Amino acid sequence: MSDKPLAPRDQGAPDYTKHLHPLMLKNYGEWVSHDRMRPGVLVHTARGGDKLYTVRAGSPRTMSADTVRKVCDIADKYCQGFLRFTSRSNIEFLCGDKNDLDNLIKAVEKDLGWPLGGTGPSVSNISHTQGWLHCNLPGTDAAGSVKAMMDDLIEEFRNENLPNRVHMATSCCQINCASHGDISVIVQHHHPPRINHNNMQICELPKVVAICPAAAIRPAVINGVETVEVVEEKCMYCGACHGQCPSMEIRDSETDSLSIWVGGKMSAARGAPTFMKLAVWGIPNNPPRWPEVSEAIRRILNAYKATGKPWERIGEWIDRIGWAKFFEMTGFPFTRYHIDDGPEALSNLNRSAMIRL
Amino acid sequence: MSGKHDKNKAMTLHTPLLNELESGPWPSFFSDLKEYSKKKPVVVQLLNQLEESYENRWNYWIGKVLNAPGYGGGIIARVSEKADKYPGLANFHTVRVIEPPGWVYNTDALRNLADTAERNGAGILQFHGMTGDILLLGFSDEGSLQCVEDLMHDGWDIGGSGAALRTLQCCVGQARCEMACYDTMKVTKHLTDSFIHYLHRPEFVYKFKFKLSGCSNDCANSMVRSDMPIIGTWRGPMQVDQDKVAEFIDAKGMEYLIDNVLTRCPTRCLSVKGKTLQVDNDNCVRCMHCINVMHHALSPGKDRGVTILIGGHRTLKIGDTMASVLVPFMKLETDEDLEKLVEFVERVWEFWNDNGMDHERVGEFIARVGMGTFLKGIGVEPDPRMIRQPRTTSYIKFEELAPPRMDGEGNKMPPVWNREAEAVETA
Ligand code: HEM
Ligand code: SF4
Ligand code: SF4
Ligand code: SF4
Ligand code: SF4
């Protein structure tokens, strides 16, 4: 680095007013309604009558600088140079002129190759994380598995044929950066961490002892080396210690597997937000295209599509039809591992004689 | 330089497994990076290592620590175990950048990010990290530091990491959504700027996240992903345009209204008389459902503000915690309102950081000490709107009923059971 003085620190968040489409700035707080013109295209109407068109497309989230420039070229041409991203890594081209819409859509689909969709009752883009591309903890990949899953789900993304929206997420370890979704995929480990005692001195021991949720880690001296040991009966293979300390290897390429969880919902519409629940476990971690994951997701979506009622999210649909029906329709085995033994254990039992018979 | 230590060592792309991610209709990050690798040799190394991960179902990144001068976070440093084979990945870090609130961009800014990422590193960008910030991937130690300087020179600032405040994230709010009950972008910027010190310097017992949504549709996913969700809401009646209600009924039919609006209201506070909709506003819990379905006819009420919640986070360590109500309603419009919020947050942080254990998220802290104790600690009165129902366990230590028993001091029953009497006696 040069000897130039350091750039100013602590400048804070960018001034968003410089990043707003002129119609957004002009009508800030004055929007009165919106309509979906077709899947992937929204129009918002302001009090004074201005209309802003949004063309939503699925992005791969990870992009080269050249792709970002291509995106900018399109926004410069049709959007006065303004766009935004959604929380699920969709891109939204913002367009003030209805006459530009057709060309804008053509540019997004043809030049960029990104599909329009993710609006209304559809499967939106999958929230995902780093995976093998760039994290230190992953048991599987992120962007690659999303690509494979979305190839299979693209018609559900492009059309609005589901009872309600489906938010999906996939996470490459149990830290679960991609969080809860209507359908979420997570890696699971099946053994305690393997400790590399010779490497242990690199971290502060109390930190890794403190992070274990099962109080399974304790300081130990092994072969004269100050290190830690794991009480295997207590350990629940969560991998928290691995996140803290690279010498506690939790992953196992032979035995790590994937599980799918359903019914997470953050919105309060119709009922309080809900956590996702275990649907199926023991799915092989099978790169490069993870076909078993796609197959399992397809089964959930087919059942949801067949019997879900309008506006029911996946969790609400299962609440109505019951878990027995869910397992019957999807063909996933219901096992003793589906019965909770965590903090919510007792309240997750059916504490009534209310049963569909 | 050339040979083993050449970061740009020429290498041919060998990716038989990854090539399978080129077929199919969804945009492929791999095809993009493959094309880009012709211009950026280090990306060939990255993809070849990724190919090995695919082959062996194994990961080759290890974490390390690197900070820009004056900052204690914001760079996520990664070194490759295969640096001998892929020298360009010996140090290959991520820089977290604070996004414009609501993820809105002008293209000058985006081009600037692309240029900065390309000039100083591998030229790979992610929109966005799940935390909400922009991620720029693939910098050496030097490249990271230069990238950070360049970014800050151009008016950007870098994100948080470690036991610190994280970059905030908010929904598009009033910039393009008619549901928004407060100015999410403005509040996000205000909180970010007010607390920027805590974002850049890990001084907490553990991380702290805010996520801000303009209504309880919660497009910012705040409820389980943030320690303090701030969600827009309103007091008093919602706005109903009865002409539009009639239009809705004419277009969709009465049956649709009954099946999809009236019976889906969680507190059954909607009814219909002729073609007019009646709302029992006292019992509406602001869930947003009817407004979502009939958004031409219904909208949030005029007296708007926020509900502040506390304690959401994902499973580590005590299992998932959903955030719960801390402040049922507060106005968030004026500068004074914003200052009140900043002071309130500082009070929460002080109690949590003084009493929380190492690595204890605020939700875990509340689970350990109890919400009652937490409220007392931060000086907030208990409110029935904070709970789903009162406790069902009868073992309780009542401070009021357990005055000292020794030394002949009185043990008279204070009048705690009656609301009015309590106000007089214990105020
Ligand atoms: C070495 C330590 C860690 C680093 C470097 C790190 C880094 C990151 C990164 C880069 C992301 C964004 C991922 C993406 O979008 O691709 C992320 C998100 C996330 N991380 Fe971490 N992480 C670390 C430890 C942890 C731990 C121990 C937890 C659990 C308590 C955790 C929980 C999360 C969650 C829940 C998210 C999602 C973000 C959100 O919802 O706001 N991380 N982290
Ligand atoms: S889910 Fe786990 S492995 Fe994946 S990016 Fe997050 S911390 Fe890393
Ligand atoms: S895997 Fe989890 S439970 Fe097991 S020792 Fe590590 S932190 Fe503790
Ligand atoms: S959270 Fe509410 S206000 Fe914000 S974008 Fe979503 S619907 Fe609009
Ligand atoms: S917002 Fe929700 S609770 Fe209120 S009237 Fe509408 S459906 Fe009922």
Side-chain angles (χ1 to χ4, degrees):
Chain A
M1 268 174 43
S2 65
D3 296 328
K4 276 204 308 199
L6 295 178
R9 260 55 185 163
D10 289 339
Q11 299 181 86
D15 176 1
Y16 53 89
T17 59
K18 299 205 170 98
H19 295 277
L20 291 172
H21 188 282
L23 285 178
M24 286 168 123
L25 199 55
K26 178 178 167 208
N27 297 293
Y28 201 94
E30 296 293 325
W31 298 101
V32 289
S33 67
H34 74 275
D35 289 286
R36 298 198 304 272
M37 298 171 67
R38 51 161 276 194
V41 183
L42 308 169
V43 53
H44 285 81
T45 307
R47 202 175 308 281
D50 282 343
K51 287 190 186 301
L52 179 70
Y53 301 89
T54 297
V55 172
R56 183 182 292 176
S59 96
R61 188 177 93 126
T62 301
M63 317 169 196
S64 69
D66 281 344
T67 294
V68 173
R69 292 181 186 115
K70 260 193 232 167
V71 164
C72 292
D73 289 341
I74 295 176
D76 283 343
K77 202 154 169 197
Y78 303 109
C79 307
Q80 293 173 258
F82 293 93
L83 57 97
R84 79 175 284 267
F85 291 89
T86 72
S87 61
R88 317 202 82 72
S89 299
N90 291 314
I91 193 164
E92 292 187 334
F93 290 95
L94 305 163
C95 174
D97 186 349
K98 196 174 178 184
N99 299 320
D100 281 340
L101 265 184
D102 286 345
N103 287 331
L104 168 57
I105 290 170
K106 219 178 283 161
V108 174
E109 287 180 331
K110 297 277 149 29
D111 302 353
L112 219 45
W114 293 0
L116 260 60
T119 49
S122 63
V123 170
S124 193
N125 201 350
I126 303 176
S127 288
H128 65 280
T129 57
Q130 296 299 327
W132 288 327
L133 188 70
H134 205 244
C135 193
N136 57 338
L137 305 174
T140 190
D141 198 29
S145 65
V146 167
K147 157 72 179 150
M149 282 187 264
M150 286 311 288
D151 276 344
D152 191 58
L153 294 172
I154 190 146
E155 289 312 316
E156 311 295 355
F157 178 84
R158 281 187 174 139
N159 295 291
E160 299 178 344
N161 289 336
L162 292 159
N164 200 345
R165 66 190 74 244
V166 175
H167 285 167
M168 292 183 54
T170 178
S171 293
C172 24
C173 82
Q174 291 210 50
I175 283 180
N176 190 217
C177 296
S179 197
H180 288 245
D182 295 275
I183 304 178
S184 293
V185 186
I186 322 181
V187 166
Q188 279 175 318
H189 311 295
H190 307 294
H191 303 284
R194 303 183 297 285
I195 306 176
N196 180 352
H197 296 292
N198 298 324
N199 204 26
M200 251 307 157
Q201 68 279 9
I202 66 163
C203 88
E204 295 169 64
L205 294 182
K207 290 250 183 221
V208 77
V209 171
I211 205 160
C212 175
I217 306 176
R218 55 189 184 207
V221 176
I222 292 174
N223 297 333
V225 183
E226 264 191 59
T227 177
V228 294
E229 62 186 4
V230 170
V231 183
E232 301 209 348
E233 306 74 59
K234 282 191 182 175
C235 174
M236 54 192 185
Y237 324 144
C238 71
C241 50
H242 183 221
Q244 187 66 40
C245 169
S247 306
M248 306 207 39
E249 181 57 71
I250 188 80
R251 292 164 300 194
D252 185 326
S253 63
E254 293 306 312
T255 60
D256 286 348
S257 65
L258 303 171
S259 53
I260 297 182
W261 301 66
V262 295
K265 161 175 169 288
M266 288 308 103
S267 148
R270 298 168 305 284
T274 50
F275 292 135
M276 59 199 193
K277 279 86 45 180
L278 177 63
V280 58
W281 52 271
I283 301 176
N285 181 18
N286 198 359
R289 293 197 66 97
W290 294 270
E292 298 84 358
V293 174
S294 287
E295 150 81 24
I297 290 170
R298 175 58 55 191
R299 287 197 211 173
I300 298 167
L301 285 176
N302 284 347
Y304 173 54
K305 223 173 178 173
T307 54
K309 291 188 176 172
W311 298 98
E312 275 177 345
R313 294 277 290 266
I314 285 184
E316 297 168 277
W317 158 65
I318 301 172
D319 276 348
R320 180 172 57 78
I321 65 165
W323 284 96
K325 190 76 182 173
F326 171 82
F327 286 104
E328 184 194 313
M329 289 187 84
T330 53
F332 300 144
F334 180 74
T335 66
R336 69 188 167 95
Y337 304 107
H338 286 84
I339 302 174
D340 205 346
D341 54 9
E344 309 276 345
L346 293 179
S347 58
N348 282 339
L349 297 173
N350 181 2
R351 299 188 291 183
S352 76
M354 300 188 332
I355 303 174
R356 295 170 186 79
L357 291 168
Chain B
M1 272 204 318
S2 68
K4 191 173 163 226
H5 296 292
D6 184 355
K7 286 195 295 187
N8 289 322
K9 178 165 130 180
M11 203 175 282
T12 43
L13 193 69
H14 177 72
T15 52
L17 288 171
L18 288 169
N19 289 346
E20 295 198 32
L21 294 175
E22 293 208 84
S23 60
W26 191 257
S28 171
F29 79 102
F30 172 69
S31 303
D32 179 15
L33 295 186
K34 184 175 173 177
E35 180 62 29
Y36 188 63
S37 72
K38 293 175 187 160
K39 163 169 171 188
K40 269 277 176 200
V42 71
V43 177
V44 176
Q45 302 184 32
L46 176 71
L47 295 176
N48 281 355
Q49 178 179 302
L50 186 61
E51 174 73 15
E52 290 200 47
S53 288
Y54 270 61
E55 206 178 306
N56 303 322
R57 275 175 275 155
W58 197 251
N59 180 59
Y60 301 106
W61 296 109
I62 309 174
K64 77 164 197 183
V65 177
L66 177 72
N67 283 315
Y71 282 178
I75 300 174
I76 296 174
R78 296 272 182 263
V79 299
S80 168
E81 280 178 8
K82 288 190 167 286
D84 278 349
K85 195 164 167 191
Y86 305 118
L89 309 184
N91 285 289
F92 200 79
H93 313 320
T94 289
V95 173
R96 281 182 154 166
V97 187
I98 301 179
E99 81 286 1
W103 301 297
V104 288
Y105 292 92
N106 68 50
T107 48
D108 288 345
L110 275 183
R111 285 181 203 280
N112 171 262
L113 286 173
D115 294 347
T116 308
E118 186 172 75
R119 188 171 61 246
N120 294 301
I124 301 172
L125 302 89
Q126 292 177 327
F127 296 96
H128 291 88
M130 288 296 111
T131 310
D133 39 19
I134 307 155
L135 302 177
L136 310 181
L137 269 63
F139 302 92
S140 65
D141 286 4
E142 247 188 13
S144 303
L145 300 181
Q146 190 59 54
C147 176
V148 167
E149 291 307 319
D150 289 358
L151 287 166
M152 291 195 287
H153 180 268
D154 295 336
W156 301 96
D157 203 347
I158 62 172
S161 60
L165 176 61
R166 285 290 180 287
T167 307
L168 284 75
Q169 105 177 10
C170 71
C171 75
V172 70
Q174 295 180 342
R176 199 206 50 197
C177 182
E178 71 270 24
M179 314 288 182
C181 292
Y182 75 105
D183 190 344
T184 52
M185 289 186 178
K186 179 176 166 189
V187 178
T188 298
K189 175 148 175 67
H190 186 82
L191 291 179
T192 307
D193 296 357
S194 304
F195 294 138
I196 197 74
H197 174 87
Y198 300 102
L199 198 140
H200 287 143
R201 288 155 205 98
E203 292 175 1
F204 294 162
V205 290
Y206 205 19
K207 66 180 84 168
F208 194 94
K209 299 179 181 177
F210 292 98
K211 287 184 172 38
L212 291 80
S213 287
C215 74
S216 59
N217 283 323
D218 196 10
C219 294
N221 290 313
S222 67
M223 284 299 291
V224 78
R225 307 190 78 159
S226 68
D227 300 274
M228 189 175 277
I230 301 179
I231 297 183
T233 188
W234 68 93
R235 286 187 297 209
M238 74 166 71
Q239 303 182 70
V240 185
D241 180 337
Q242 296 293 3
D243 293 342
K244 295 267 170 63
V245 170
E247 275 173 34
F248 181 91
I249 295 172
D250 289 342
K252 294 277 203 172
M254 191 57 90
E255 212 171 302
Y256 187 93
L257 181 80
I258 294 169
D259 290 348
N260 293 299
V261 185
L262 305 197
T263 57
R264 290 214 178 279
C265 168
T267 44
R268 303 287 181 271
C269 49
L270 295 170
S271 57
V272 62
K273 210 184 225 171
K275 282 184 185 173
T276 56
L277 189 72
Q278 329 251 292
V279 187
D280 172 5
N281 281 295
D282 287 345
N283 285 311
C284 165
V285 289
R286 281 69 174 148
C287 85
M288 292 303 289
H289 173 72
C290 61
I291 301 178
N292 291 343
V293 183
M294 302 175 69
H295 54 265
H296 288 287
L298 308 180
S299 48
K302 286 186 171 158
D303 183 8
R304 300 179 179 190
V306 297
T307 298
I308 300 176
L309 300 98
I310 187 89
H313 70 79
R314 251 246 83 193
T315 184
L316 276 181
K317 300 173 285 212
I318 62 165
D320 295 274
T321 54
M322 193 77 76
S324 68
V325 172
L326 186 57
V327 177
F329 184 85
M330 142 172 204
K331 293 295 275 187
L332 204 44
E333 282 162 12
T334 62
D335 290 351
E336 293 82 76
D337 295 339
L338 285 169
E339 266 336 284
K340 234 169 84 185
L341 176 62
V342 167
E343 278 164 28
F344 178 70
V345 169
E346 281 170 346
R347 233 156 67 207
V348 170
W349 282 349
E350 192 180 337
F351 185 64
W352 165 54
N353 283 307
D354 284 353
N355 298 285
M357 300 197 296
D358 184 33
H359 268 90
E360 195 169 47
R361 293 283 283 272
V362 70
E364 295 171 320
F365 173 60
I366 293 170
R368 178 167 62 85
V369 303
M371 183 58 98
T373 305
F374 180 75
L375 292 176
K376 199 171 164 207
I378 60 171
V380 169
E381 285 298 312
D383 184 312
R385 291 169 295 186
M386 293 171 178
I387 58 165
R388 192 168 59 82
Q389 59 183 22
R391 69 154 72 224
T392 53
T393 350
S394 65
Y395 304 127
I396 314 173
K397 288 183 175 177
F398 298 100
E399 275 181 32
E400 289 84 345
L401 299 185
R405 264 189 230 173
M406 300 188 301
D407 301 334
E409 259 190 61
N411 192 12
K412 247 178 67 190
M413 184 82 137
V416 286
W417 66 277
N418 184 315
R419 223 177 160 172
E420 272 102 64
E422 185 200 10
V424 177
E425 297 293 321
T426 61

